[in-house]
Amino acid sequence: MLSELTQLRGACRVGADALVAVSSDETLEDGSPDTEALLSTLASLASAEVPVPIALRSWAEVFVDSNSYTPEQKLAIGVALDSTIHTRMAVGDASWRSLPMLSSALASSSAALDGRAGVMLVKHRNGLLEITLSRGSQLNALGATMLGDILDAATGAAADPSVRALLLRSDDARAFSAGGDVRALTEELSWEARAAILHLEYAAIAAVGRLALRMPVVAISDGVTMGAGMGLFMAANRRLVSGRARLGMPECVIGLCPDAGVTHHLTALPPGFVGMFCALTGSALGAADALYAGLGTAHCPEAAVDVLEQRLREQDVVGLDALLAAHCEPMQEHSTLSGLQARIDAIFGQPNLEQTMLALNYATEEVRARLPKGQPEISDARLHASYEWLLRCKEKLDAGAPAAVHVAHFAMSRSFQKRVSAFTAFQMELAANQQLLARKDFNEGVSCVIGERKGEKPAWEHIDLDAAKSDSKVKSVIALVEVALDYDAQAVRPQARDAAKAAAGDVAVGASRGQAQNRETDDDE
């Protein structure tokens, strides 16, 4: 099933130039397949139990062999396919392991583990499933093999009634997970392979999130927690941070926009526009700031982490929350962000990126003008701290790839406006990052951040934000984000509502039948 869907997805891919060149009123050729029927069919394939329609196989041939669809329609259908592929993987379609475009990534990922398990699974007698990230030499960078193991573990737990709770932890105190294995992604030359790995990452995180809807899922950040690692952490419904925790989404510095479902969390949880600040600057938050922003739900001191984990393995999961409360305590350190909230909102709450940059520059100059000359007095410590913070904000914004920063701001703005769900966030992020992965900025950013040119200044494709914004190819990424949001609003959500209504109707019918049977029994008596 997934093989046919991914084949069709590859055939839907069109270049940015083709998109912007086609006018919105262009019509289909006579005899073209029905787009609405195709979108409806794709939306119905979310369940892993639904077999692939025979007609869908022929649609792939239509895309490959003819020009029956306009570029806009191909984009819409491509987004629908992304949604369907993502959902089927997240609910347990195990055929993902046989996808040809993942074979080399899985093989190289396994070899890179150097004999380590990568992910260790232990099911305890009390019903706790323990997932341990174990790739300490690489700060638990999540490669394809590790992501696949997490996906299978989460979907397996969802189907296993004996699993009553999940624990996500790391065996390396330096990191929960520093993110996805982006170095391995740069080695995958084909767009299809990179897109498939992205699907695998998002599906694994979504599967954990689905599990969190039905049972306690505890994640413990006792070190670096970034990128895909933060997405995995945020999928839990009980998120503990120690004093060593550092949470962040620095995707823009490698040419991507924040992803792994985090665009949902950064707009749904933090107060004001702290989420926009985190997304655009990639700033790492310590434990106190993570708790203030709602990214962490409780503080577990470093010394208590091992003891808590052992208690979770031994005690009845019915008392899990009481156990967490007994080993967690209020954070003594004060949140820096709480004191900066008004300034963050004034800068990062602007309606567009240009005004954000203007507000940042104005605030920086305004504070600089108030700095005393010469040696500052103790009373000016707060003013100097504010100035240093503003300078760091500007430095971090300037460090991101202009195209990625522009796309990230647009995606986050739409997320704030629509208050998107985690599912919608994944679709929006897939739409954007599948395209950004194919651009030069991604390889350039990885090379200069963790690769052979580490520490060098990247040579981005665009000299500044204005150049990125006017690029037709970047415009096409923005268009894809809109298409993803529109498809979710017009096709996915209505179908989900209809399914919920149908399920509620079945329950009501069952209840009325039961009442009728009870009345008949009473009459017989």
Side-chain angles (χ1 to χ4, degrees), residues 199-525:
H199 265 294
L200 184 57
E201 175 188 312
Y202 293 4
I205 294 168
V208 173
R210 291 171 66 91
L211 207 58
L213 297 175
R214 54 190 297 182
M215 66 177 66
V217 176
V218 181
I220 302 177
S221 170
D222 191 27
V224 175
T225 305
M226 297 188 176
M230 183 168 162
L232 182 61
F233 177 76
M234 293 303 300
N237 47 27
R238 290 150 175 86
R239 302 181 296 277
L240 311 187
V241 291
S242 79
R244 289 189 291 245
R246 292 293 180 272
L247 281 68
M249 294 299 293
E251 269 62 26
C252 288
V253 298
I254 58 170
L256 301 178
C257 79
D259 63 347
V262 176
T263 51
H264 159 69
H265 302 296
L266 289 181
T267 52
L269 293 175
F273 289 90
V274 167
M276 183 70 85
F277 157 74
C278 292
L280 296 186
T281 67
S283 296
L285 306 186
D289 286 337
L291 290 168
Y292 172 75
L295 305 181
T297 57
H299 165 237
C300 181
E302 299 98 298
V305 170
D306 290 342
V307 176
L308 172 60
E309 290 175 347
Q310 189 57 35
R311 294 287 185 273
L312 287 171
R313 298 175 186 118
E314 298 170 346
Q315 297 190 15
D316 194 328
V317 297
V318 171
L320 183 144
D321 286 323
L323 189 61
L324 295 181
H327 289 79
C328 292
E329 60 185 42
M331 192 79 197
Q332 298 302 315
E333 180 185 341
H334 182 68
S335 166
T336 302
L337 289 182
S338 63
L340 292 167
Q341 184 68 66
R343 192 172 289 284
I344 287 173
D345 291 347
I347 296 171
F348 293 93
Q350 297 296 327
N352 57 56
L353 195 51
E354 290 80 6
Q355 288 179 266
T356 293
M357 299 301 293
L358 285 173
L360 177 56
N361 291 333
Y362 175 82
T364 304
E365 290 304 310
E366 187 269 335
V367 172
R368 186 181 67 82
R370 290 193 287 126
L371 289 175
K373 307 300 181 184
Q375 184 68 28
E377 301 294 330
I378 297 298
S379 60
D380 297 313
R382 179 175 294 183
L383 191 64
H384 276 265
S386 180
Y387 183 61
E388 292 297 323
W389 181 82
L390 288 165
L391 290 178
R392 287 195 299 273
C393 278
K394 189 173 188 311
E395 180 183 352
K396 289 179 178 294
L397 268 170
D398 290 342
V405 173
H406 174 54
V407 174
H409 184 273
F410 181 83
M412 286 292 295
S413 295
R414 300 295 276 142
S415 296
F416 272 110
Q417 292 166 7
K418 292 180 174 287
R419 295 297 176 185
V420 300
S421 66
F423 178 84
T424 305
F426 278 121
Q427 308 318 308
M428 186 172 62
E429 294 159 359
L430 273 170
N433 278 345
Q434 282 187 103
Q435 302 305 311
L436 295 176
L437 277 173
R439 299 182 67 86
K440 173 193 168 187
D441 279 350
F442 174 63
N443 283 19
E444 183 72 10
V446 172
S447 176
C448 293
V449 172
I450 62 171
E452 63 278 4
R453 294 166 51 210
K454 184 175 180 179
E456 292 184 20
K457 184 177 180 179
W460 300 124
E461 292 183 74
H462 307 94
I463 192 170
D464 56 24
L465 288 168
D466 287 338
K469 189 175 180 180
S470 62
D471 186 345
S472 62
K473 294 183 178 180
V474 177
K475 290 180 180 178
S476 75
V477 180
I478 298 296
L480 271 170
V481 172
E482 286 285 23
V483 169
L485 290 169
D486 289 345
Y487 175 70
D488 180 73
Q490 297 172 16
V492 177
R493 290 188 190 181
Q495 188 168 73
R497 286 196 296 268
D498 292 343
K501 287 179 182 178
D506 290 343
V507 171
V509 170
S512 62
R513 286 176 178 169
Q515 292 169 359
Q517 289 173 352
N518 289 338
R519 286 196 298 271
E520 290 173 3
T521 301
D522 293 341
D523 292 342
D524 290 341
E525 291 176 352

Side-chain angles (χ1 to χ4, degrees), residues 119 121 129 131 147-159 163 166 207 211:
V119 172
L121 306 176
L129 176 63
I131 299 180
L147 291 167
D149 290 344
I150 294 169
L151 173 59
D152 287 347
T155 55
V163 175
L166 176 67
L211 207 58

Side-chain angles (χ1 to χ4, degrees), residues 13-269:
R13 187 180 178 224
V14 294
D17 294 337
L19 170 65
V20 297
V22 177
S23 62
S24 59
D25 59 352
E26 182 169 339
T27 57
L28 291 175
E29 299 174 2
D30 292 337
S32 299
D34 184 350
T35 310
E36 294 301 322
L38 177 53
L39 292 175
S40 176
T41 299
L42 292 172
S44 72
L45 296 177
S47 170
E49 289 76 30
V50 177
V52 57
I54 295 175
L56 188 56
R57 301 174 189 269
S58 64
W59 270 323
E61 297 173 2
V62 169
F63 275 95
V64 173
D65 299 332
S66 73
N67 293 316
S68 299
Y69 290 101
T70 66
E72 288 94 336
Q73 289 170 320
K74 289 185 180 182
L75 285 175
I77 295 168
V79 165
L81 283 160
D82 281 334
S83 176
T84 302
I85 294 167
H86 169 80
T87 303
R88 291 187 67 92
M89 291 177 72
V91 300
D93 188 333
S95 65
W96 68 265
R97 286 193 178 272
S98 62
L99 293 176
M101 62 285 295
L102 274 177
S103 58
S104 64
L106 289 170
S108 59
S109 176
S110 296
L113 291 175
D114 296 324
R116 296 175 67 100
V119 172
M120 296 188 294
L121 306 176
V122 179
K123 183 179 174 183
H124 299 281
R125 284 192 226 176
N126 63 354
L128 176 75
L129 176 63
E130 180 178 348
I131 299 180
T132 299
L133 306 181
S134 182
R135 194 187 177 191
S137 62
Q138 299 293 324
L139 298 179
N140 289 331
L142 299 170
T145 299
M146 294 175 69
L147 291 167
D149 290 344
I150 294 169
L151 173 59
D152 287 347
T155 55
D160 185 350
S162 68
V163 175
R164 302 164 61 200
L166 176 67
L167 170 63
L168 289 165
R169 62 178 296 275
S170 163
D171 65 3
D172 180 4
R174 297 179 304 159
F176 174 73
S177 170
D181 192 347
V182 292
R183 196 195 303 267
L185 263 178
T186 63
E187 295 169 359
E188 293 293 334
L189 300 181
S190 75
W191 175 85
E192 288 77 13
R194 291 185 178 187
I197 295 171
L198 206 62
H199 265 294
L200 184 57
E201 175 188 312
Y202 293 4
I205 294 168
V208 173
R210 291 171 66 91
L211 207 58
L213 297 175
R214 54 190 297 182
M215 66 177 66
V217 176
V218 181
I220 302 177
S221 170
D222 191 27
V224 175
T225 305
M226 297 188 176
M230 183 168 162
L232 182 61
F233 177 76
M234 293 303 300
N237 47 27
R238 290 150 175 86
R239 302 181 296 277
L240 311 187
V241 291
S242 79
R244 289 189 291 245
R246 292 293 180 272
L247 281 68
M249 294 299 293
E251 269 62 26
C252 288
V253 298
I254 58 170
L256 301 178
C257 79
D259 63 347
V262 176
T263 51
H264 159 69
H265 302 296
L266 289 181
T267 52
L269 293 175

